[in-house]
Amino acid sequence: MIKFGLLRQHKIRVAWILLIFWTGLFSPAADGQANLNAIKASFDQAHANTITEKLFVHTDKNLYLAGELIWFKVYSVNAASLRPLDLSKVAYVEILEASNKPVLQGKISLDHAEGDGSFYLPITLNSGNYRLRAYTNWMKNFKTDYFFEKMITIVNVQKRLELPEKKNEDNNQLVFFPEGGNLVENLPAKVAFRVSDAKGRGIASTGYLLDNSDTLLSFNPVHAGLGTFSFTPVAGHNYAAVIADQTAISNPQPLPAAHPTGYVMQVTDANPNLTVTVRSNVAGEGSVYLVVHSGETIKVAAQQFFQNGVAVFNVAKDTLNAGVSYFTVFNEQKKPVCERLFFTMPSGLLPISLQTDKPLYNSREKISVVINMGSGGSVNDMASLSMTVFKLDDLQALSSPGITSYLFLTSDLTGRVEDPDYYFENDDQQTATALDNVMLTHGWRRFKWDDIRQEKKQYLQYAPEINGPIVLGKVIDNATGRPAANIESFIGVPGFRTEFNSSVSDNNGLVKFEMKELYGPSEIVLQTNTARDSIYRIEALSPFSDEYSASVLPDFHLEPATEEALRQRSVSMQVQNI
């Protein structure tokens, strides 16, 4: 009996150990780690074999006369690290009308991640705002929003200015952006807003939040028409807002409808950490996941359990890359339910200053300029620089945006950011608040989490031009007019420096010829193997993209006070050309 009792007790103890071990394998923490690993694996796989370029173009001015030269320099960087990227050897630079019709196009040679060039602005151009954009062949695989774009103004003093029809200038707009993406009934929310005029410029105003016509609160923008307010939406209530400026009160603008159930998030700067608070009223939801990525690398992946519908994450700010970071909240089914952006101000930038030998100069006098560079924190600081000199007058203001605000800020955001250099001029709380308002009102992702979760592979049609320009052509059957596959084709460059290459057309009739040293004006000869047959022809294809961003150029306008400055510029331009 004693032996039997000891044996039975031993069996019970073993059973409890096995039970504890078995439940541990399937604990919520173990499931959560598996979900996080799955999310990270999908993200890493989507970025493993894709390198992304960014271009920045420094132009000598922002306003030109028809008949002048526009000088520019192109910089290429890795989008993840913002370091020079010596990948593509050709940049495509275009000047587009407001209707996206190209008026000037050029292929610029890139050497060690930089290149320079110029355009002569024909005297046939009309006065107006134009879009200068630049991209590489590799960048054509991604959205056109990722191309470099900036607005330049061209004035033709030889043509009568035809002004567009005057639009209703009182058509102010009020748009709302709930933090995290949605409003949820009975959950406190932070709502960002943007107030702009008919031309898209932020305006100073006072807004009022209405609850079934009762005023709940008032709000004002901090900078460029951007600001925030907080409230808790209640079921059965209808919310709207009006804005009042110096001229009128707008019509009520409804807020986005609040969902009966869902998730909301709030990011609070509690230096040196960020506190991410997630609230939910979804029944049975036990935990939630937070994934933070910047520079195409996951920086934070964590799980927290809800306590009374609230889960809190702490993120160390020093773990984030400089620039824009993406905070995404996933539910237990690994579905993204909230997202917002956060900006980390870059540090350790290379300080550059200019010093002239005198403060005042006479006409035609030589000016000596010394460029001073401090230490940016690296042992061997090196820099590729470009400098422009122009007259500040009623026509020309300081160039904006600069390379810092573009690479770190605007190139990662959709839509136009008004006065981006403003956010890098001062390091104070008001500027930080204004910058966070930009993060709340400008969302941008080059990928979709749903595509990553479903492991959708991105089709990359365009190859990087790592050795030189790629000449494209299409082989056509003269008898049928259709593309012909598997046709041997040749390209020749006659002249002082000859070049020859061959290719075979693919299933769509496309042929590609990689030309290593095809620079400057040249003639090319495309033909098939006429010794075998002569029923095919090759049509050369344009390497320039025929897809365009949805951004809209502002209306062109000249103040009467610029008349004298225009006259002086026109005389100088004509003398220079002569």
Side-chain angles (χ1 to χ4, degrees):
M1 294 294 295
I2 297 176
K3 290 184 178 181
F4 178 78
L6 291 175
L7 180 61
R8 184 180 182 183
Q9 185 179 13
H10 178 68
K11 286 183 177 180
I12 293 175
R13 184 180 298 113
V14 172
W16 274 108
I17 294 174
L18 289 175
L19 179 62
I20 295 172
F21 178 71
W22 187 260
T23 56
L25 285 177
F26 292 92
S27 67
D31 291 343
Q33 188 59 47
N35 287 337
L36 285 175
N37 291 338
I39 295 172
K40 290 192 292 184
S42 299
F43 182 92
D44 293 338
Q45 183 178 0
H47 292 83
N49 300 319
T50 303
I51 189 170
T52 311
E53 293 175 299
K54 279 186 183 181
L55 295 185
F56 177 80
V57 181
H58 178 201
T59 59
D60 58 334
K61 292 180 293 188
N62 288 335
L63 186 143
Y64 301 87
L65 299 188
E68 287 185 329
L69 281 171
I70 171 173
W71 297 92
F72 56 85
K73 184 172 181 179
V74 184
Y75 298 90
S76 175
V77 300
N78 187 320
S81 64
L82 300 185
R83 291 288 186 178
L85 179 61
D86 189 16
L87 177 67
S88 297
K89 295 300 184 291
V90 181
Y92 297 89
V93 182
E94 300 179 279
I95 296 180
L96 310 175
E97 292 181 337
S99 61
N100 287 327
K101 177 184 177 181
V103 296
L104 289 169
Q105 295 177 320
K107 292 183 286 185
I108 308 302
S109 170
L110 296 179
D111 184 23
H112 292 90
E114 62 181 64
D116 53 75
S118 64
F119 284 134
Y120 172 76
L121 301 176
I123 60 174
T124 56
L125 293 178
N126 296 321
S127 298
N129 292 323
Y130 291 75
R131 181 181 292 109
L132 184 147
R133 73 170 185 169
Y135 51 91
T136 64
N137 198 56
W138 178 249
M139 291 171 64
K140 292 192 295 184
N141 290 302
F142 311 101
K143 294 181 179 179
T144 54
D145 299 273
Y146 214 55
F147 293 178
F148 172 85
E149 287 190 357
K150 72 171 293 184
M151 188 190 79
I152 62 172
T153 300
I154 300 176
V155 181
N156 192 328
V157 296
Q158 306 296 329
K159 283 189 174 185
R160 180 179 295 275
L161 181 61
E162 297 181 1
L163 296 175
E165 295 182 6
K166 187 174 182 180
K167 299 179 181 179
N168 182 12
E169 299 296 334
D170 296 331
N171 188 20
N172 295 337
Q173 295 183 343
L174 176 60
V175 187
F176 302 102
F177 305 87
E179 182 176 15
N182 298 305
L183 295 176
V184 180
E185 293 176 358
N186 303 318
L187 295 182
K190 182 179 182 180
V191 180
F193 63 87
R194 180 173 64 226
V195 185
S196 58
D197 60 16
K199 296 182 179 180
R201 299 171 301 191
I203 58 176
S205 60
T206 298
Y208 300 92
L209 179 62
L210 308 178
D211 176 10
N212 296 333
S213 300
D214 293 332
T215 302
L216 284 181
L217 53 87
S218 63
F219 53 87
N220 299 93
V222 176
H223 176 73
L226 306 179
T228 60
F229 61 84
S230 298
F231 83 114
T232 301
V234 180
H237 289 236
N238 297 317
Y239 299 96
V242 296
I243 53 174
D245 56 17
Q246 299 177 352
T247 58
I249 298 178
S250 70
N251 294 324
Q253 176 67 33
L255 268 69
H259 297 272
T261 60
Y263 306 78
V264 298
M265 71 180 300
Q266 184 174 4
V267 178
T268 306
D269 192 347
N271 202 26
N273 297 327
L274 296 174
T275 301
V276 182
T277 304
V278 181
R279 293 181 172 87
S280 173
N281 59 3
V282 178
E285 195 76 350
S287 64
V288 69
Y289 310 102
L290 174 68
V291 175
V292 182
H293 68 92
S294 59
E296 299 184 1
T297 304
I298 289 183
K299 300 297 181 180
V300 175
Q303 177 190 20
Q304 286 291 349
F305 293 91
F306 283 110
Q307 295 184 1
N308 298 323
V310 180
V312 179
F313 299 85
N314 289 311
V315 177
K317 293 169 63 175
D318 57 8
T319 62
L320 306 178
N321 286 2
V324 179
S325 296
Y326 304 79
F327 286 63
T328 308
V329 174
F330 295 81
N331 62 10
E332 288 187 329
Q333 289 72 42
K334 298 181 292 184
K335 180 181 178 180
V337 292
C338 293
E339 184 173 75
R340 68 154 288 177
L341 312 183
F342 182 82
F343 189 85
T344 303
M345 191 62 65
S347 60
L349 297 177
L350 188 64
I352 302 174
S353 62
L354 302 179
Q355 183 177 359
T356 57
D357 55 341
K358 294 194 307 183
L360 298 174
Y361 297 89
N362 295 322
S363 299
R364 312 295 297 177
E365 186 177 357
K366 180 180 179 180
I367 301 176
S368 297
V369 181
V370 176
I371 302 176
N372 299 310
M373 292 192 300
S375 174
S378 301
V379 177
N380 297 313
D381 280 330
M382 300 180 65
S384 175
L385 308 177
S386 54
M387 184 180 72
T388 178
V389 180
F390 55 86
K391 181 181 179 181
L392 290 176
D393 54 19
D394 294 331
L395 289 172
Q396 192 69 51
L398 291 175
S399 180
S400 178
I403 189 171
T404 300
S405 62
Y406 176 77
L407 292 182
F408 284 99
L409 180 63
T410 58
S411 62
D412 281 333
L413 302 177
T414 185
R416 175 176 174 267
V417 178
E418 187 174 347
D419 192 16
D421 288 344
Y422 162 83
Y423 304 100
F424 295 83
E425 293 173 354
N426 299 300
D427 184 14
D428 52 33
Q429 185 57 46
Q430 180 175 346
T431 304
T433 301
L435 184 54
D436 197 53
N437 292 338
V438 175
M439 296 296 100
L440 291 169
T441 55
H442 292 74
W444 167 246
R445 286 179 298 178
R446 289 194 310 102
F447 63 92
K448 295 181 179 179
W449 273 110
D450 288 339
D451 293 344
I452 290 181
R453 291 172 59 244
Q454 298 171 14
E455 297 184 356
K456 291 183 178 180
K457 294 184 178 180
Q458 189 172 19
Y459 174 66
L460 302 178
Q461 179 180 357
Y462 303 98
E465 296 174 307
I466 59 177
N467 294 315
I470 296 176
V471 178
L472 300 176
K474 178 175 285 189
V475 180
I476 304 295
D477 189 326
N478 288 323
T480 63
R482 296 179 179 177
N486 300 318
I487 303 301
E488 189 177 19
S489 307
F490 306 99
I491 184 173
V493 182
F496 178 77
R497 184 193 54 79
T498 61
E499 193 167 348
F500 179 83
N501 209 335
S502 63
S503 180
V504 177
S505 60
D506 62 14
N507 292 334
N508 297 317
L510 295 177
V511 287
K512 301 178 182 180
F513 305 95
E514 188 177 45
M515 315 300 288
K516 294 184 178 181
E517 298 294 336
L518 186 61
Y519 298 110
S522 302
E523 290 185 354
I524 61 173
V525 179
L526 297 171
Q527 69 176 50
T528 59
N529 190 346
T530 56
R532 181 173 301 176
D533 54 60
S534 59
I535 65 172
Y536 302 104
R537 71 179 189 273
I538 303 179
E539 296 180 353
L541 302 180
S542 171
F544 293 92
S545 175
D546 56 0
E547 297 183 3
Y548 306 96
S549 68
S551 60
V552 179
L553 291 173
D555 294 335
F556 174 71
H557 178 70
L558 276 180
E559 296 291 340
T562 61
E563 181 178 354
E564 179 60 22
L566 277 173
R567 187 189 65 82
Q568 294 181 8
R569 285 275 296 273
S570 177
V571 172
S572 298
M573 177 266 295
Q574 295 177 59
V575 171
Q576 181 69 32
N577 287 340
I578 293 173

